[in-house]
Amino acid sequence: MNPDRLFDLAAEFAHATGNAERFHARAAVATGDDRAAHEKAASRWEAIAARRREHLRASLREALRGTVKAVPDERLPVATWQPGRVEVRATTLDGTRSVRVRYTPAQAAAAAVALIACAAITDDPNGSTLASILPAFPPNPPGDEPVTTDEGRPA
């Protein structure tokens, strides 16, 4: 669906919603037969707006259907804007559209573990690309001596 048609559908929905609100406002200040006529017109426009909203939603779903291919956002790939949410950010290959996935802390930890496991499985054993990023154990901080037993052996 072309963008002009989507814009027209959105404008038709907005027009119908505006008319419904206008007739509700008129009914609120009218009396007698005028009030009934305005309420009837408001109901008619609400029904039209509901149909146009559903048509717009269906058209948007159709236009946005399919897989979105994206790459991690170079400036801010992970953010915590909302309390209790971790947001992973990406952009489409052409840079025209943002893609965001929001996780709970537990989901984020599970996704991180799965990503690390997949990276380890697919790592090139000869090139050892992960070894430079994720060493087996973090180094001891400077000045820390290993704990030894009474016999002088490491604990």
Side-chain angles (χ1 to χ4, degrees), residues 77-155:
V78 179
T80 55
W81 298 116
Q82 297 174 338
R85 295 280 180 225
V86 177
E87 184 175 275
V88 176
R89 303 166 140 223
T91 57
T92 54
L93 299 175
D94 60 2
T96 59
R97 187 170 163 205
S98 296
V99 179
R100 303 216 184 334
V101 178
R102 291 189 179 103
Y103 292 109
T104 64
Q107 291 170 327
V113 169
L115 285 170
I116 292 169
C118 289
I121 291 170
T122 59
D123 189 25
D124 179 17
N126 297 328
S128 190
T129 55
L130 286 180
S132 62
I133 300 169
L134 300 171
F137 290 98
N140 289 329
D144 279 0
E145 296 296 323
V147 178
T148 58
T149 62
D150 291 337
E151 293 88 34
R153 291 178 300 174

